[in-house]
Amino acid sequence: MKLILRYISIVFFILIAAASIVILFDAPFKEEKTLPLSEVVLKINASEVKQVDVEEDNLKVTLQNNEEFTARKEQGISAFETFRNLGAETDKLSAVKFEVKDDTGAGTIIGAILQALLPFLLILGIFWFMMTQAQRGSM
């Protein structure tokens, strides 16, 4: 009975360690300031915005004084159209540099493969560990 509890506790601590590593790498490392889109539009109309980086539905807004903020837009609507619908002036909006960043790199592919492969490898490792312990016990 003590042996079973020992193996269960080892597996439990391995799972806790794996979950901690995943949370560590998934959590953002720096706290970003967020702004609602209406305030971003006010800053665009006041010519305070230098650049807007668009990554899917996330907007990274850089002001003229190099302050950075984040905002979120609606899904399926372009950032330019969203700002126009919220009342941004066309001439002020055209002065802002828009940069669309696409997530089609190798990091995305590797991340997707690791998410599918790591649980499978963890289960295989647990079974291998249990089988070697069972072989030792039978000898």
Side-chain angles (χ1 to χ4, degrees):
M1 185 68 180
K2 284 186 176 184
L3 192 60
I4 292 173
L5 288 176
R6 182 175 149 205
Y7 292 138
I8 290 174
S9 63
I10 289 172
V11 169
F12 178 74
F13 285 119
I14 289 172
L15 290 176
I16 293 294
S20 300
I21 290 170
V22 168
I23 289 172
L24 175 71
F25 287 112
D26 193 39
F29 289 106
K30 74 174 192 178
E31 190 69 28
E32 294 182 346
K33 300 174 189 173
T34 59
L35 278 179
L37 283 176
S38 58
E39 288 188 32
V40 175
V41 169
L42 291 174
K43 290 186 181 297
I44 287 174
N45 287 339
S47 299
E48 295 178 17
V49 177
K50 177 170 48 173
Q51 180 174 345
V52 176
D53 296 331
V54 182
E55 290 184 46
E56 294 179 5
D57 296 330
N58 298 318
L59 304 174
K60 182 179 168 188
V61 181
T62 307
L63 301 180
Q64 296 292 347
N65 60 1
N66 291 328
E67 271 188 277
E68 292 182 349
F69 298 97
T70 58
R72 288 195 49 87
K73 69 174 189 66
E74 296 179 41
Q75 287 183 336
I77 300 175
S78 71
F80 191 85
E81 185 178 344
T82 300
F83 291 137
R84 283 289 303 138
N85 291 340
L86 290 173
E89 299 173 15
T90 307
D91 57 334
K92 306 278 176 120
L93 196 55
S94 61
V96 175
K97 179 183 175 187
F98 281 88
E99 188 172 321
V100 179
K101 296 183 178 180
D102 196 11
D103 251 358
T104 58
T108 304
I109 295 170
I110 291 171
I113 290 172
L114 284 178
Q115 284 180 348
L117 198 59
L118 279 179
F120 180 70
L121 291 175
L122 183 64
I123 291 171
L124 280 178
I126 290 170
F127 279 125
W128 176 78
F129 179 72
M130 288 174 27
M131 292 300 173
T132 57
Q133 296 301 318
Q135 285 177 351
R136 278 191 208 157
S138 66
M139 290 181 182

